[in-house]
Amino acid sequence: MSALCTSSVFTCYLLLLLLLRTLHCSAESTTNSTAPRRRPRQLSVDYYAKSCRQLDQLVASVTSQRFKEAPVSGPATIRLFFHDCFVEGCDGSILISSRPGSKEVAERDAQDNKDLATEAFDVVKKAKALVESKCPGVVSCADILAIAARDFVHLAGGPYYQVKKGRWDGKISMASRVYSNLPHANSTIDELLKLFSSKGLTPDDLVVLSGAHTIGFAHCKHFVSRLYDYRGTRQPDPAIDSRLLKALKMSCPSFGGNDNVVAPFDVTTPFSFDNAYYQNLESKLGLLASDQALYLDTRTKPLVQALAKDKQKFFQAFSSAMDKMGSIGVKRGPRHGERRKDCSMHMS
């Protein structure tokens, strides 16, 4: 082709034009020959606008009552939503009870879910029963859990954000899939970043969603190693405030402690959904090693500092991150999911 181009610029131009046209037609042919892409499984705020217009109000009537009667229902339900979304996606699979005699137990009976508070399951059960009485067979358990989690964020003083709906309930719930898909109290930042990335979430999402620890409590077993034998050193974690260390040791002895004893994630405002969680990390007051690590790592520290200074920034970021997390692994249609009437039992 180079020889032709040297003899005639015009001929060279025509050849290039012909080549480009051939490539374009080839690409067009390839595109047209492939099967049409499946439409993305999109959620929408008004998904139940015609089939169950009063859905949000129905769930709110339950969550507001439960928040007054059993405040632990708030952080427990938010945590339940996290655990649901990170295993199999946001599909209500965490709500399924193990079948008697089955070789494989369900997610809720996995070791990592053993201390999920029963109050959270009760909230979803009550809300589902009320919704079923008004809109039978229409609303999924997965959507009710997502709405309830949002309600409790707001009831505790956090932001109110619109929840997109349209999830179907998943048909798979296996305890064996839980451990590798959940963050742990002693997870390193590298491990957390890898896990969140596998869910389509960013390092910023990790920092922002960790802010849910602004309310709620953790059992001693999740942080006791920080107090007495951090990373096998037989010494406390140096990244913990001495006053907090002393207080936690009083509640959580190294051996023979009460398994039911808990400590607040946020030692300053444990019942308020605010940005104090991040301020605590700056003061070495993080409860879990995985919490405090967010401030110690250069990749996540800047956002921790920014959110510690600006509550509204945290609220806006948290609303967006919850929306993003709520779209993980969404099931749509009877081929991939179901709409359970009883959230603890499969339809078939």
Side-chain angles (χ1 to χ4, degrees):
M1 181 170 165
S2 59
L4 231 92
C5 287
T6 55
S7 63
S8 171
V9 174
F10 182 68
T11 303
C12 181
Y13 173 75
L14 286 177
L15 284 170
L16 283 171
L17 194 64
L18 183 62
L19 179 61
L20 288 171
R21 181 175 177 80
T22 303
L23 288 171
H24 174 74
C25 291
S26 175
E28 196 173 59
S29 173
T30 303
T31 302
N32 291 336
S33 66
T34 56
R37 290 184 179 182
R38 292 174 60 185
R39 294 180 63 186
R41 295 174 180 172
Q42 295 179 337
L43 305 176
S44 62
V45 172
D46 58 354
Y47 185 83
Y48 297 107
K50 293 182 179 179
S51 58
C52 194
R53 183 182 297 271
Q54 70 274 44
L55 173 59
D56 284 83
Q57 290 79 11
L58 292 171
V59 177
S61 68
V62 173
T63 52
S64 59
Q65 181 181 358
R66 294 303 296 160
F67 187 72
K68 295 174 184 176
E69 296 173 351
V72 70
S73 300
T77 304
I78 297 168
R79 185 184 179 203
L80 188 65
F81 184 51
F82 274 66
H83 282 226
D84 183 41
C85 290
F86 268 68
V87 184
E88 303 295 346
C90 309
D91 63 353
S93 54
I94 188 69
L95 306 169
I96 291 286
S97 296
S98 299
R99 290 180 176 176
S102 174
K103 293 181 180 179
E104 177 74 53
V105 296
E107 284 176 37
R108 68 187 293 173
D109 292 320
Q111 192 61 41
D112 284 87
N113 289 330
K114 286 287 188 182
D115 58 358
L116 288 173
T118 57
E119 286 85 353
F121 293 96
D122 290 343
V123 164
V124 178
K125 183 177 181 179
K126 285 182 168 61
K128 177 63 172 174
L130 179 59
V131 170
E132 282 294 314
S133 71
K134 303 294 183 182
C135 313
V138 173
V139 182
S140 68
C141 300
D143 277 342
I144 288 177
L145 176 54
I147 296 167
R150 182 276 314 278
D151 285 356
F152 283 122
V153 168
H154 185 60
L155 287 165
Y160 184 91
Y161 53 90
Q162 295 291 338
V163 173
K164 293 176 184 173
K165 311 168 189 77
R167 303 166 187 82
W168 284 52
D169 298 321
K171 298 179 179 180
I172 297 173
S173 182
M174 299 169 63
S176 60
R177 299 189 181 185
V178 172
Y179 182 83
S180 62
N181 282 294
L182 288 180
H184 302 283
N186 61 348
S187 293
T188 65
I189 292 297
D190 284 338
E191 291 169 340
L192 291 171
L193 291 174
K194 183 178 180 181
L195 174 61
F196 273 64
S197 178
S198 73
K199 308 300 177 185
L201 300 173
T202 67
D204 282 2
D205 293 325
L206 164 62
V207 176
V208 171
L209 290 171
S210 295
H213 283 176
T214 183
I215 55 174
F217 300 81
H219 289 80
C220 290
K221 66 181 180 180
H222 294 298
F223 56 85
V224 69
S225 63
R226 288 191 76 199
L227 312 182
Y228 302 97
D229 187 23
Y230 180 66
R231 307 269 186 217
T233 61
R234 297 188 179 181
Q235 296 294 322
D237 182 354
I240 185 170
D241 179 83
S242 58
R243 294 164 299 171
L244 177 61
L245 176 64
K246 183 178 179 180
L248 291 176
K249 280 187 170 182
M250 291 177 65
S251 301
C252 304
S254 54
F255 297 102
N258 187 335
D259 290 340
N260 294 321
V261 172
V262 296
F265 287 116
D266 176 353
V267 297
T268 52
T269 57
F271 299 101
S272 298
F273 198 99
D274 53 27
N275 64 329
Y277 165 82
Y278 300 103
Q279 297 167 1
N280 292 341
L281 298 186
E282 292 181 316
S283 302
K284 300 173 69 174
L285 295 174
L287 181 64
L288 305 183
S290 56
D291 287 325
Q292 194 60 52
L294 296 173
Y295 184 71
L296 300 174
D297 194 286
T298 55
R299 292 168 291 182
T300 49
K301 182 177 180 177
L303 185 54
V304 170
Q305 293 174 312
L307 298 179
K309 294 176 182 176
D310 191 339
K311 185 171 76 170
Q312 287 309 311
K313 179 181 177 71
F314 167 50
F315 280 10
Q316 292 169 2
F318 189 81
S319 299
S320 298
M322 285 292 277
D323 175 64
K324 189 175 178 181
M325 187 186 76
S327 299
I328 296 173
V330 168
K331 314 301 190 291
R332 293 293 298 274
R335 182 180 174 185
H336 303 283
E338 58 188 6
R339 290 195 181 110
R340 294 193 289 275
K341 294 183 179 180
D342 180 343
C343 294
S344 66
M345 295 179 62
H346 285 295
M347 297 287 287
S348 55

